[in-house]
Amino acid sequence: MPKNSTRLAGLAALLVTLPLAIAPPVSAAAVEPDYTIALSPKADGPALAKSQYGVFFEDINYAADGGLYAELVRNRSFEFNATDAGGYTGLTAWTTTGTATVVNDAQRLNDRNRNYLKLTGTVTNAGYNTGIAVKKGEKYDFSVWARAGGSAPLQVTLQTAAGVTLAAPVDVSTTGDVWTKYTGTLKATATSDRGRLTVGSAAPVSLDEISLFPRDTYQGRANGLREDLADKIAALKPGFVRFPGGCLVNTGSMYPYDAANNYPRARSYQWKDTVGPVETRATNKNFWGYNQSYGLGYYEYFQFSEDIGAMPLPVLPALVTGCGQNRATNDPALLQQHVQDALDLIEFANGPVTSTWGKVRASMGHPKPFGLTTVAVGNEENLPEEYWANFLKFQAAIKAAHPEIALVSNSGPDDQGSTFDNLWAKNKANGTDLVDEHYYNSPAWFLQNNARYDSYDRSGPKVFLGEYASLDAKFANSLAEAAYMTGLERNADVVKMASYAPLLANIDNVQWKPDMIWFDNDESWGSTSYQMQKLFMTNVGDRVVPSTVTGGGVITPKPITGAIGLSTWRTAATYDDVTVTRPDGSTIFADDFNDGDADGWTAVQPRGTWTAASGGYAQTDTVSEDTMVKAATVTDTDYDYTLKATKQAGAEGFLVAFGIQETGNFYWWNLGGWNNTQGAVEKGVTSAKEQLLTKPNTVNTGQTYNLKIQVRGTKVTLFLDGAEWASFDDNAVTEPFAQVVTSDAKTGELIVKVVNAQDKPAVTKIDLGGRKVAPTAKATVLAGDPGEQNTRTAEPILPVTSTIHGVAPTFTREFPANSVTFLRIRTR
């Protein structure tokens, strides 16, 4: 069945399952309501800005090259190397005939484009994923930089791997010993996502920057964006675009890409590398394990933000690495250079065409300023003292030169913990404009923390929730996010901006899940969270109408039971004397490994090398990550789990798991994590983890540690060498019903947003606070099986919009099980 037919079938099935979404209101006399929503007579809640919701773009999951950036040729300038990823070379993605050699010498195109190709024969590019995607009748712009001693005619062809012609060949005449750009146009004669671009020459020729671009990019921009992906982002109507990271900003070398620094290949994202002609832009190792060309750079980000009517929000490096690296660059001159780079960025965005960097912007085709208003410094730094010292230097310089620019600081990599508390205290004392919070947590966490921002200081710094998502891609995750978003809107006086993350994922190159928009070479589709985010972004309103909800109930947590486990992360370690006992001392499980076997232990995933020998259980692989083995399913609600642990070698420390469920959920005590700098308790949810607590911690190689995990129902106390290390109580209640009401002055509507994240309908009385309203309203419902997800072949979770009748100042409505409903009610 064609993919679009499958999707239509999924939509038809969804419509059949949603009679309540289009049914008239329930009679109040017929059914006693489960909930009552009561609105204040006045719309006197916090104002909602256009920037309330936005998007965060980071080049993760091949989101840029091979994704949003429309270039179809992979490794177009032959710059790939083994620093980017194991096995990469200057000919990655290319096959050759004849003589083809990647050269790095003084004859190169320019100093920042280090490699070029010497060719006598043919060179063929395989593109991304299955190949180059072309559509019959569409035009594709070819270009190449070439240098030949004499005449070297090029023939450019586009075929499938099987040799089927996809476009008429194009001949390009090159001549002369000076690098020159040559162009041509290929018109597709067939549709395929398995194209191969071949460039051939019978005479010796040097080539660089071999490019093939669809003529139809988003808004027709040169060096532009893939249209379907840009359209999906634009359809969200985001209020801002945060870019370019993320971990790309605060990892790797902070030094520039130049001869004085030996052209460092693994660098933080530095904006000056990414502007000007594409053939002069630097290349880089992407933190997520591949190469990034910087063809999609700061100019293109600013242009795209403008095209979709969103505020640009760039993030700059603070010279303190995070994302597991946790190092500070102690170089005052380099810090001053980066501070100046920040000032130059503002000039690039906003300066007149007579200024140094405004002139660069104008030369790229945009003499009008972009209107930058907000800049972020740093991302998830886990060294609060070093980060804060640097942030203050950025702040002093930027505020002195541009007091109109709002600055965003951050609070570290999680929603709580010592770094979070430390940085929030510093930001409050400083009066920082905005503080960036990030967290990726379980659906339960989001359903348990709707009131998180109710208690935030109204006079303190405002919150930018720059990254958040529920840890999976099912509709249940989207429902939990939606419930949480009602709390974000209710607290719009504190939470000024929020963006789900990550935005894009290439289905064949995934480093992180979940993600909002998925794609392959020629198709794209929105996850269930994309559909949810789109509904919230396009139904924000301009002011919160205070409202209360009564009725219903909560879900109480269960005691922590399940198997125990041992694991490592790029570390060799030995465990011994593992016991699980009841509070009265009786034994549930014990293994001292003195018999030389580990018969009671099974691998959760077949990773690492585990051996029971010499009276211990050792994992000896220092490369593998998450080598978990488990034993002894514990059904008691109160127990003590004790063991000895010794690190033998490697990057980190110990991972001691408990409460392991067959569903894949678990807890683990992480000692010496994040390159042996942090300790934490993490709660695993499928393949991801949320942090329940964190604190600084280091594990010494060769030292034996006595560990004890004391479980009493939902409360856990951790002991390290007999001293209490930390404790937590995973006892928060889950609230499956949430709501918020906003007003839209432009349309004269109330927007009632109701989330029912439970497996039963919710009959709800709605009291509109005495307002006179039209008897009909528009209802948009997103509902379905909480275990469903949208995929390449089917999108079962899509919104359904209808007109409902019987709306009155007070009326009753039944909201479907596992649904989000947006009611737009006209006031009179």
Side-chain angles (χ1 to χ4, degrees):
M1 180 183 291
K3 294 177 182 178
N4 58 348
S5 299
T6 306
R7 292 176 181 178
L8 289 173
L11 175 57
L14 177 62
L15 288 169
V16 170
T17 63
L18 291 179
L20 293 172
I22 57 176
V26 175
S27 168
V31 180
E32 185 69 22
D34 302 305
Y35 299 91
T36 297
I37 297 172
L39 278 62
S40 166
K42 296 181 180 180
D44 56 359
L48 290 152
K50 183 182 183 297
S51 59
Q52 189 69 36
Y53 297 119
V55 294
F56 164 48
F57 180 90
E58 179 175 11
D59 188 1
I60 184 175
N61 309 312
Y62 280 62
D65 295 334
L68 185 62
Y69 184 48
E71 173 65 76
L72 297 172
V73 175
R74 187 178 182 214
N75 190 17
R76 66 185 177 188
S77 59
F78 309 101
E79 294 293 326
F80 283 27
N81 69 27
T83 302
D84 304 330
Y88 275 20
T89 72
L91 286 173
T92 293
W94 297 95
T95 55
T96 64
T97 65
T99 302
T101 306
V102 175
V103 181
N104 178 352
D105 64 19
Q107 302 302 311
R108 64 179 65 88
L109 180 59
N110 60 67
D111 282 345
R112 294 167 70 78
N113 193 333
R114 308 291 292 167
N115 292 350
Y116 64 97
L117 183 74
K118 285 187 174 180
L119 176 70
T120 306
T122 66
V123 60
T124 299
N125 191 265
Y128 293 86
N129 301 72
T130 57
I132 293 171
V134 296
K135 186 177 181 180
K136 183 178 180 179
E138 299 293 331
K139 293 180 178 179
Y140 297 85
D141 293 325
F142 168 82
S143 64
V144 63
W145 285 82
R147 179 171 58 83
S151 176
L154 302 180
Q155 185 174 66
V156 183
T157 60
L158 190 60
Q159 299 178 321
T160 67
V164 177
T165 298
L166 297 176
V170 170
D171 292 322
V172 176
S173 296
T174 70
T175 186
D177 199 26
V178 177
W179 283 106
T180 304
K181 185 176 182 179
Y182 299 90
T183 62
T185 300
L186 293 163
K187 185 175 182 179
T189 56
T191 297
S192 175
D193 62 357
R194 299 177 183 273
R196 302 288 189 270
L197 180 73
T198 298
V199 179
S201 174
V205 65
S206 296
L207 304 176
D208 206 347
E209 289 285 324
I210 299 176
S211 172
L212 188 67
F213 246 88
R215 180 74 55 84
D216 290 336
T217 59
Y218 184 70
Q219 302 282 26
R221 302 290 183 195
N223 194 51
L225 307 181
R226 180 172 147 175
E227 200 165 23
D228 64 320
L229 293 178
D231 279 337
K232 280 186 169 57
I233 299 169
L236 294 167
K237 299 189 182 303
F240 64 87
V241 179
R242 176 178 179 246
F243 61 87
C247 288
L248 302 189
V249 168
N250 71 332
T251 54
S253 170
M254 300 292 169
Y255 288 90
Y257 191 66
D258 58 23
N261 293 287
N262 198 30
Y263 297 99
R265 189 53 173 263
R267 308 182 309 287
S268 63
Y269 196 109
Q270 299 173 37
W271 77 268
K272 290 179 180 177
D273 287 343
T274 76
V275 298
V278 292
E279 68 273 9
T280 67
R281 300 184 189 181
T283 191
N284 201 9
K285 169 188 168 61
N286 183 295
F287 172 81
W288 298 107
Y290 50 95
N291 176 274
Q292 56 189 138
S293 71
Y294 289 145
L296 173 56
Y298 257 73
Y299 177 84
E300 289 76 23
Y301 286 128
F302 279 124
Q303 182 71 80
F304 182 51
S305 300
E306 182 178 82
D307 284 343
I308 64 177
M311 178 185 82
L313 204 171
V315 185
L316 300 175
L319 274 69
V320 179
T321 61
C323 303
Q325 294 184 354
N326 296 342
R327 295 189 303 270
T329 302
N330 184 15
D331 185 335
L334 182 64
L335 175 59
Q336 185 54 45
Q337 177 185 317
H338 277 264
V339 170
Q340 185 60 50
D341 285 349
L343 298 174
D344 291 344
L345 174 63
I346 297 169
E347 182 177 285
F348 175 78
N350 295 349
V353 296
T354 55
S355 66
T356 300
W357 288 101
K359 184 177 181 180
V360 173
R361 182 194 69 242
S363 71
M364 296 181 73
H366 202 286
K368 181 183 176 181
F370 282 116
L372 178 65
T373 63
T374 308
V375 172
V377 177
N379 170 78
E380 295 188 9
E381 280 74 20
N382 218 348
L383 298 175
E385 303 305 326
E386 294 87 341
Y387 166 74
W388 188 249
N390 288 0
F391 173 79
L392 290 178
K393 290 183 172 62
F394 279 90
Q395 177 182 256
I398 292 172
K399 289 295 187 180
H402 299 283
E404 75 283 3
I405 296 291
L407 281 182
V408 183
S409 175
N410 75 75
S411 58
D414 199 26
D415 60 272
Q416 51 72 47
S418 59
T419 296
F420 179 89
D421 293 340
N422 186 340
L423 284 174
W424 254 110
K426 286 177 165 60
N427 280 296
K428 284 182 180 179
N430 180 61
T432 306
D433 297 324
L434 292 132
V435 178
D436 192 4
E437 293 190 356
H438 294 179
Y439 37 84
Y440 298 91
N441 291 325
S442 67
W445 186 93
F446 285 97
L447 292 173
Q448 292 163 356
N449 284 276
N450 182 273
R452 173 181 175 88
Y453 295 107
D454 289 3
S455 59
Y456 269 51
D457 183 358
R458 269 41 207 171
S459 63
K462 304 308 178 186
V463 173
F464 170 32
L465 181 50
E467 297 182 33
Y468 74 98
S470 172
L471 293 174
D472 206 348
K474 306 292 196 302
F475 186 48
N477 301 87
S478 307
L479 289 168
E481 291 155 4
Y484 193 72
M485 291 169 80
T486 66
L488 300 183
E489 291 190 12
R490 188 177 65 252
N491 289 285
D493 57 329
V494 169
V495 185
K496 291 299 183 182
M497 296 183 290
S499 51
Y500 178 102
L503 178 62
L504 293 172
N506 183 321
I507 195 167
D508 294 321
N509 293 286
V510 181
Q511 291 85 47
W512 185 279
K513 294 180 181 179
D515 304 284
M516 195 192 297
I517 300 170
W518 291 79
F519 63 92
D520 57 19
N521 277 13
D522 59 346
E523 291 184 289
S524 57
W525 57 98
S527 67
T528 62
S529 289
Y530 171 82
Q531 299 299 340
M532 190 70 74
Q533 292 287 327
K534 185 178 179 181
L535 285 176
F536 272 89
M537 289 193 199
T538 55
N539 289 280
V540 177
D542 50 37
R543 186 166 292 279
V544 174
V545 180
S547 59
T548 59
V549 61
T550 55
V554 297
I555 301 170
T556 57
K558 296 180 179 179
I560 298 171
T561 61
I564 60 168
L566 304 170
S567 189
T568 58
W569 195 283
R570 299 197 308 272
T571 300
T574 301
Y575 298 100
D576 198 3
D577 294 340
V578 177
T579 63
V580 182
T581 58
R582 299 182 179 90
D584 64 6
S586 59
T587 300
I588 299 173
F589 173 84
D591 198 341
D592 60 12
F593 307 103
N594 288 337
D595 56 2
D597 68 50
D599 291 342
W601 298 84
T602 59
V604 175
Q605 295 290 342
R607 304 188 189 107
T609 304
W610 287 92
T611 306
S614 303
Y617 194 22
Q619 196 294 113
T620 55
D621 183 350
T622 58
V623 176
S624 294
E625 299 177 346
D626 190 5
T627 62
M628 190 188 293
V629 292
K630 67 177 182 177
T633 298
V634 179
T635 58
D636 292 55
T637 61
D638 295 355
Y639 55 94
D640 297 328
Y641 172 20
T642 62
L643 69 154
K644 291 182 171 65
T646 309
K647 174 181 176 178
Q648 307 296 354
E652 303 208 349
F654 315 120
L655 296 167
V656 183
F658 56 101
I660 303 171
Q661 301 292 324
E662 293 300 325
T663 58
N665 293 2
F666 64 92
Y667 300 79
W668 71 20
W669 186 6
N670 184 346
L671 287 168
W674 293 270
N675 281 331
N676 206 16
T677 63
Q678 296 287 314
V681 173
E682 298 177 280
K683 186 175 183 179
V685 184
T686 61
S687 61
K689 291 170 285 295
E690 70 175 75
Q691 294 172 26
L692 300 183
L693 61 88
T694 60
K695 60 187 295 186
N697 171 253
T698 299
V699 168
N700 298 322
T701 300
Q703 179 178 340
T704 297
Y705 295 86
N706 293 293
L707 310 181
K708 177 180 176 181
I709 301 171
Q710 177 182 286
V711 180
R712 299 295 183 266
T714 59
K715 184 174 182 180
V716 177
T717 306
L718 307 165
F719 296 89
L720 177 62
D721 288 335
E724 183 173 329
W725 187 81
S727 65
F728 68 94
D729 197 343
D730 196 12
N731 65 344
V733 298
T734 299
E735 299 181 9
F737 187 91
Q739 59 81 37
V740 70
V741 182
T742 63
S743 62
D744 188 331
K746 184 176 180 180
T747 64
E749 293 174 310
L750 291 172
I751 311 172
V752 180
K753 312 167 194 185
V754 178
V755 183
N756 183 28
Q758 55 190 327
D759 293 332
K760 61 180 181 180
V763 176
T764 305
K765 178 182 176 181
I766 302 174
D767 180 352
L768 298 178
R771 290 172 175 82
K772 294 181 179 180
V773 294
T776 62
K778 185 175 79 171
T780 301
V781 180
L782 200 63
D785 184 337
E788 282 281 16
Q789 57 185 326
N790 291 346
T791 68
R792 176 162 40 189
T793 56
E795 294 182 81
I797 306 298
L798 294 173
V800 177
T801 299
S802 64
T803 299
I804 64 170
H805 300 270
V807 179
T810 300
F811 66 103
T812 299
R813 184 151 194 86
E814 185 174 274
F815 295 101
N818 299 304
S819 70
V820 178
T821 301
F822 291 76
L823 300 177
R824 296 193 72 112
I825 302 170
R826 287 180 289 117
T827 57
R828 299 194 291 190

